[in-house]
Amino acid sequence: MFQTKTLARVLPTLHKPLPLNRREAQRLLDTLTASFRKHLDTEHGWLPDEAPTASTAQPTSTHRRPTDHHLSSILSNPLFNPPTISPTSNNASSSHTKPAAANFAKETAVFDEAVARGMMTVPRAHGFLIAVRNSILRSSFLSIQDGMQASGAGVRVASWIQSSGMEKDLSSFLNNDGFLRLLVPFMVAEGLEEKLWSWLEQIRDMSSSPTAKKPPRWFFILGAIARAKTLDGGSLDAAYASILRGEELFKHHDYQNLVHAWLIVWWQSTVKAWRFSPASEDLFENYVAISDHLKRPLVLQRAHLDLHHPNPAKTTPDRAVRLFMEDGPKGGWREALSAPQNKNSGLRANQVMSLGLDTVKYLSEAGDSALAQRILEILQREIEPLFPASEKAFRVSY
């Protein structure tokens, strides 16, 4: 009959540490803390005017030791001090504070933990912004703008970008169009627009340096700022001002790239004009004048802007009527429709159709029903067939 050996006799002797009581645990912590301070003191040395003396002993809370300075700099880093999630703007209702904390608690907790562990990356920050945006869309905020103000997401991401040193290489994140398209509206809503302009100034300086690496595409950032200004039916004046500020900043640096941001604001000023209050006449005209200096033909866009001048006395359909009725080799609607401004022919057809309907509406209200009918027939015969059957919503409505 075999005898079973006990497990203690089979396995080697294990020296398991006994549980520490509170006094022993505190003693161990004090020993480790003293050792850590001694090591840092050896590495960094005392500051010139802070060498310890018997007569100048200071409490540890005053941060007189170099190790205390070191620890204080770590703990004051933005990575360890994320902003409080609460509405900071006067436009955000205080009633949103509690919903904001509930809506964004999960997303911000994941973001903060990833930052604290050094695991945050641009794709992960992008995912964080997407998650916060989706939470805003599901929330009870009156507008997306209010939700972004309350989320603190833009402040969090901007603080991470700064403290991680990524601002030293702007191309490491500014060339990511999808990330930038989401980040900029958050930053504008949270009062960080000047940080964006500081990045644009750095890009301008990089463009001026013959030895600098290829800078990020500044026109995409400018366009994102202008788009953010018109979010939720914001302000056309603010959008015009941003384009004019960008023109002043980059007038001697690849000026033609202004067309990207200019077209973004044109779309809001015409197709989406119903969402906005009338703009300032001076800002509008200064914005429109930029197109005179751009090489890209903007015949259709200028014709459309003529119909949306903030001063009714200066509103005119002349360009639009010539574009539809003459249809010559230089500036007709057929040329506008086929212009290589966008590979999406459906978008181009939408732009021509929008201009045509606005022209028909203006002529009808002005009493020229015959000319309005002729242009409407062109739209129905030539433009409407370009749309899929499910999108043919441009029946006679004027």
Side-chain angles (χ1 to χ4, degrees), residues 85 96 99-100 102-105 107 128-154 182 185-186 189-190 231-232:
I85 308 173
H96 285 159
N103 288 334
F104 312 123
E107 291 83 359
F128 165 66
L129 293 175
I130 292 175
V132 172
R133 182 195 61 185
N134 291 340
S135 292
I136 293 172
L137 295 176
R138 295 191 299 266
S139 71
S140 60
F141 287 106
L142 296 179
S143 69
I144 297 177
Q145 192 90 357
D146 285 347
M148 289 191 298
Q149 285 177 338
S151 72
L182 270 179
F186 276 97
E190 296 174 52
L231 188 65
D232 288 332

Side-chain angles (χ1 to χ4, degrees), residues 228-288:
K229 292 293 187 179
T230 59
L231 188 65
D232 288 332
S235 167
L236 284 176
D237 280 351
Y240 297 148
S242 65
I243 298 298
L244 293 170
R245 182 173 177 179
E247 179 198 24
E248 183 65 26
L249 191 63
F250 286 97
K251 61 170 52 177
H252 301 301
H253 301 80
D254 203 10
Y255 187 90
Q256 298 303 316
N257 275 325
L258 274 172
V259 71
H260 173 83
W262 193 93
L263 286 173
I264 289 175
V265 178
W266 157 75
W267 182 262
Q268 299 295 331
S269 301
T270 54
V271 180
K272 301 293 185 179
W274 56 270
R275 302 167 58 204
F276 304 97
S277 301
S280 162
E281 184 174 343
D282 289 342
L283 283 174
F284 174 85
E285 291 180 348
N286 288 333
Y287 154 76
V288 171

Side-chain angles (χ1 to χ4, degrees), residues 155-168:
V155 173
R156 270 182 162 80
V157 175
S159 296
W160 165 68
I161 288 173
Q162 180 179 4
S163 58
S164 64
M166 293 177 64
E167 285 185 319
K168 295 179 180 179

Side-chain angles (χ1 to χ4, degrees), residues 2 21 23 26 88 91 150 155 157 178 191 196 216 253 278 311 349 387:
F2 296 98
N21 58 37
R23 180 180 179 183
Q26 184 61 45
T88 56
N91 296 328
V155 173
V157 175
L196 296 170
H253 301 80
N311 184 347
F387 293 90

